[in-house]
Amino acid sequence: MRAVFADCHVGRRLDDEGPFLEALEKAADRGARSISLLGDIFHFFIAHPKFETVAIRRFLDTVDRLAARGVPVTYVEGNRDFFLRGSYVEHHFREVCDEETFDVGGRRFLLAHGDLLNEADVPYRFWRALSKNPIARASLSVIPKKMGNRLVWKTEARLYKSNFKHKTRLPVEMIRRFALSRFAQGFDRILLGHFHKSWAEDLGKGRVEILPAFVDDRRWMEIADDGSTSLVSLGA
């Protein structure tokens, strides 16, 4: 069995990582042989030692424990994840990627965060291009921690209205176009996060699904060995 978590947004409040770390351990106890993180696991995850928090360290230690139990973790980067690949944290994970693919039960799965599907969210696309580039990465070594954190939070405040506007209504047509293009490449199941709304649709022989945000629902997805999927609650 595989477990998939999306949009946990740890770090919005002090000491709020407990339920997520508990859920990771619970997924392993339930029989997960691998875990996929579908982006935005932290409210902001800047992969530089200067920006490491207690919550990030506890998370990395948990990932190491899971790997020692034979449960490797894959990190699919979201819009709030910065520079994990090639960083000091990358070795904790089986892989850090933009998309994860695998076959289960005769079905080919594609996992992506989903933040680039909405072409209408121009302010976010501009922010992504501005913040996720080699110059921004190099600046982490010289920018003071407080200044960096302040800049990130101020930018988030400015983008909040745009993000909220484009999440109140799912860009269904854009999601369908993306899904159909990937089904044509041989995928059968597409799993997305980002939108904080549980949603699914069958398109021909394929199925595209948005996972619920763990931060809101305390739920994650399990993919059984036959390729079937189900949602599991932390409180169950």
Side-chain angles (χ1 to χ4, degrees):
M1 181 266 285
R2 291 173 176 260
V4 186
F5 291 79
D7 298 288
C8 303
H9 288 267
V10 170
R12 295 199 300 182
R13 295 176 300 277
L14 188 65
D15 300 328
D16 65 353
E17 70 274 10
F20 168 57
L21 299 183
E22 179 185 351
L24 289 178
E25 299 279 8
K26 182 174 180 178
D29 291 342
R30 287 175 54 85
R33 296 192 298 272
S34 64
I35 294 175
S36 298
L37 306 178
L38 206 47
D40 288 4
I41 301 307
F42 288 84
H43 203 49
F44 292 107
F45 190 174
I46 303 174
H48 188 283
K50 183 188 301 182
F51 295 92
E52 183 177 295
T53 64
V54 172
I56 290 174
R57 175 44 50 189
R58 289 191 64 200
F59 163 66
L60 295 174
D61 290 344
T62 300
V63 169
D64 288 344
R65 286 198 303 273
L66 291 171
R69 295 175 58 181
V71 186
V73 176
T74 297
Y75 203 117
V76 178
E77 288 194 349
N79 53 292
R80 295 171 181 271
D81 305 309
F82 297 88
F83 315 122
L84 273 68
R85 275 169 288 189
S87 76
Y88 80 107
V89 306
E90 185 176 25
H91 73 277
H92 293 276
F93 305 101
R94 175 168 59 186
E95 184 182 12
V96 178
C97 53
D98 289 324
E99 296 181 348
E100 183 185 15
T101 64
F102 50 79
D103 296 325
V104 180
R107 295 171 178 168
R108 187 152 179 77
F109 283 77
L110 169 70
L111 278 61
H113 183 63
D115 56 308
L116 290 176
L117 295 185
N118 193 339
E119 300 167 359
D121 195 350
V122 176
Y124 165 66
R125 286 175 169 269
F126 174 77
W127 159 245
R128 182 184 174 96
L130 187 66
S131 61
K132 294 194 174 187
N133 61 64
I135 296 175
R137 183 171 196 150
S139 70
L140 295 178
S141 297
V142 296
I143 189 172
K145 178 178 180 179
K146 288 184 179 180
M147 181 183 296
N149 284 329
R150 186 163 58 248
L151 175 62
V152 167
W153 282 100
K154 283 186 176 181
T155 303
E156 160 64 13
R158 286 195 295 268
L159 288 176
Y160 174 78
K161 291 183 179 180
S162 172
N163 290 337
F164 182 77
K165 171 185 175 183
H166 290 288
K167 284 185 179 181
T168 53
R169 180 181 179 275
L170 286 177
V172 174
E173 291 304 319
M174 296 177 188
I175 294 172
R176 287 172 178 158
R177 285 200 299 270
F178 172 78
L180 289 172
S181 70
R182 304 314 291 268
F183 293 154
Q185 296 173 4
F187 294 99
D188 305 293
R189 296 291 186 271
I190 296 176
L191 303 181
L192 304 171
H194 183 62
F195 296 101
H196 288 225
K197 293 182 179 180
S198 184
W199 176 89
E201 185 169 279
D202 294 314
L203 295 171
K205 295 182 179 180
R207 181 175 178 84
V208 57
E209 188 164 357
I210 298 174
L211 273 65
F214 183 85
V215 68
D216 299 325
D217 293 353
R218 297 288 192 267
R219 291 190 295 166
W220 66 93
M221 176 175 283
E222 292 183 349
I223 305 173
D225 290 342
D226 63 0
S228 61
T229 62
S230 60
L231 293 175
V232 178
S233 173
L234 179 59

